[in-house]
Amino acid sequence: MPKIVEATASLVDIEVETLRTDAVQAFVKQETVFVDLTTDDGCTATGYSYTIGTGGSSVLALLREHLLPHLIGADATLVERLWTDLFASTRATTVGAITSLALAAVDTALWDLRCKRAGEPLWQLAGGFRRSVPLYDTEGGWLHLSTEELVSGALASRAAGWPGVKLKVGKERVDQDVERLAAVRDAVGPGLDIMVDANQSMTHAEARRRAAAFEPLGLAWFEEPLPADDVSGHVALARSTTIPVAVGESLYSAAQFRDYLARGAASVVQVDVARVGGITPWLKVAHLAETFNVHVCPHFLMELHVSLVAAIPNGRYVEHIPQLRAVTHGQLRIEDGHAVAPDAPGLGIDWNRDAIDDRRTA
Ligand code: MG
C-alpha cells in the first residue's frame, strides 16, 4: 500500500483572461489552491480547487492547519475512506464552502495519484463513456457586453461549429434582456443552443416573469434564476415554465442535489467539482442525476470537467471558459465543437511549474 509521506498546499493567483461580469459580481482573479502529494513509492500527484476572488487564504489555512496532517502515513488508495475521514474531522464546519473547496483540493490530488498509478486517464478510470463531449461558450455572453458584441460572439461560436452559447441575463428591465436574447436568436437561427444565466439574482416573481418573456426564444436552460438555497422556489418555477431550470454551481454537498432532484427542481445539474468537494462526491451527484434522467453540465473548470463529463453517460455539455492557460502547457483540445478528454494518466492537466511559482502568494 502506498503511504502518503508528504502533503503540501499553496495558493496561486491566476489573472482573469478577460473581463467577466454577471448580474451580481465580476470575476476578479482565480485564487487557485494546489495540493501536492508524495507517496513512499515515489509517486507524486497534484490536485486543485479555486475561488473567483475571495476566501482562498481561508481554504489554504484549513488545509495546512487541519486537513493535510491527517494524510501523512495514510494509504493513498483508500480515496473514499480518506474523504469520509477528512469530512468527519471537520464536523464543526461542514457542510460549508471553505471546507468543500479544501476537500476538493485533496480529493482531486488523490484521484490524480490513483489514475497515474493505474496508468489510465481520468475519463476512463472514472467511468469511461466517450472521449469527447459537446462544448458551449460562455466567454461571448457576459452582462457588460453590448447586444452587437453578443451577436458577433454567438455567430463566431456557430461558425466554429460549437453547438451552444450562454448569455448572462439580469439587466434592470425585462425588455433589455429580451432585446439582447432575441437579437442573438435572430442572428444564429434555431439550430444553436442558447443558455441564459441569472446568477441567483432574481426574486421568484421576477424569475417567473422573465421566464415567460424568454419562452418564445427556445432557450436550452435558465440557470440559477433564484438564490441556491430556495429549493421550493425552484420547484414552483420549474412547474411554471417550459424552459429547463439549471442549478448546481452554488451547492456544496452531494445531498443538496438530492433535494433538488427528488422535488423536480433541477432539469440540468451543474455540479462543480471544486465546490462540491472533489471528484468523489462529483461522481455521486452525476450518477444520482442519471437515476432521475437528468443531464449533467458542470460549472466552469473545463480543464478538469472535460474528463468527468466524458466519464458518465448523462454528461451533456462542458462550459468553455479558458482560465488555466497561464499556468499550463498546451490547452484544451477542441475538435468540431467538442472538447476532447486528455489521454495522459492522471487528471490530464500539464501544469507549468515555473508559471505557478511566479504567481504563488502563499
Ligand atoms: Mg452560472
Side-chain angles (χ1 to χ4, degrees), residues 3-85:
K3 269 190 189 168
I4 298 171
V5 293
E6 192 175 353
T8 59
S10 58
L11 181 61
V12 172
D13 283 352
I14 304 172
E15 58 275 22
V16 291
E17 294 197 13
T18 185
L19 176 63
R20 299 176 180 135
T21 64
D22 59 45
V24 297
Q25 66 204 334
F27 190 146
V28 180
K29 60 187 174 185
Q30 180 173 326
E31 294 182 313
T32 308
V33 181
F34 286 99
V35 164
D36 290 295
L37 301 177
T38 305
T39 54
D40 60 0
D41 58 358
C43 280
T44 59
T46 299
Y48 71 109
S49 187
Y50 79 99
T51 84
I52 64 168
T54 51
S57 59
S58 302
V59 177
L60 183 70
L62 185 65
L63 283 163
R64 284 181 174 169
E65 295 168 16
H66 190 78
L67 295 178
L68 297 187
H70 287 278
L71 294 175
I72 303 303
D75 180 349
T77 64
L78 302 183
V79 178
E80 287 276 1
R81 178 59 184 264
L82 288 172
W83 197 98
T84 304
D85 285 352

Side-chain angles (χ1 to χ4, degrees), residues 35 37 47 63 67-68 71 86 101-111:
V35 164
L37 301 177
L63 283 163
L67 295 178
L68 297 187
L71 294 175
L86 291 180
L101 293 166
L103 287 169
V106 174
D107 185 74
T108 50
L110 290 170
W111 272 88

Side-chain angles (χ1 to χ4, degrees), residues 20-27 141-144 167-172 177 180 197-202 210 222-225:
R20 299 176 180 135
T21 64
D22 59 45
V24 297
Q25 66 204 334
F27 190 146
W142 304 108
L143 201 63
H144 68 276
L167 311 175
K168 297 294 183 180
V169 293
K171 286 288 188 184
E172 188 175 353
D177 277 345
R180 292 158 61 84
D197 185 359
N199 292 89
Q200 309 182 70
S201 63
M202 296 180 183
R210 300 228 180 188
F222 188 3
E223 176 175 329
E224 287 203 311

Side-chain angles (χ1 to χ4, degrees), residues 289-301:
E290 184 189 358
T291 69
F292 284 89
N293 195 23
V294 167
H295 282 144
V296 173
C297 305
H299 166 251
F300 192 45
L301 291 187

